Amino acid sequence: MADFSINLKENGGINIIELSGYLDAHTAPELENAFSGLITDNKFKIVVNFTDLKYISSAGLGVFMAFIESVRSNNGDIKLAAMQPNVFNIFDLLGFPLLYEIFNTEEEAVNKFNS
């Protein structure tokens, strides 16, 4: 079983999902559950912090695509922050910077919601 964990926190009405470890087909359902829970609770301003994420597979990327329309249709967004270079390269290769705002730090992403 791959090492993976999610930590949820809130910062001034912005919901933060902190990812750690390896996000792949085996662990992607945990992230799906986190997004589903936030949406069920009408929490649509979401920042995903990748500081401790070491790897992401196509299954992990698919989770982001699965929820972005629902979040944006409720006047929210998913902003991505603090990616390791190898994780950013996967997002960049697949064109995610055209679909998502990606920030160097969690603080920058949170501030973007407040601006």
Side-chain angles (χ1 to χ4, degrees):
M1 178 94 175
D3 174 37
F4 180 72
S5 67
I6 296 175
N7 182 47
L8 297 176
K9 64 182 187 179
E10 196 170 320
N11 180 345
I14 312 301
N15 296 276
I16 316 291
I17 300 175
E18 295 175 328
L19 303 179
S20 178
Y22 298 83
L23 179 54
D24 58 23
H26 298 290
T27 57
E30 292 179 54
L31 182 57
E32 289 174 3
N33 290 339
F35 275 116
S36 292
L38 291 173
I39 290 168
T40 298
D41 293 340
N42 295 314
K43 296 178 177 180
F44 302 109
K45 294 180 178 179
I46 302 168
V47 170
V48 182
N49 184 323
F50 290 82
T51 299
D52 295 322
L53 191 74
K54 302 195 177 1
Y55 171 81
I56 188 166
S57 74
S58 58
L61 292 165
V63 175
F64 292 94
M65 295 308 297
F67 291 98
I68 190 64
E69 187 176 329
S70 176
V71 168
R72 287 183 176 159
S73 68
N74 285 283
N75 298 314
D77 202 3
I78 299 171
K79 299 189 185 305
L80 313 178
M83 289 182 181
Q84 301 290 334
N86 62 315
V87 172
F88 174 79
N89 288 341
I90 306 256
F91 276 88
D92 190 40
L93 182 70
L94 297 174
F96 273 66
L98 299 173
L99 304 170
Y100 294 86
E101 289 183 287
I102 300 175
F103 297 88
N104 290 325
T105 67
E106 177 183 310
E107 182 182 17
E108 289 174 13
V110 168
N111 288 341
K112 181 67 176 192
F113 274 116
N114 295 324
S115 64

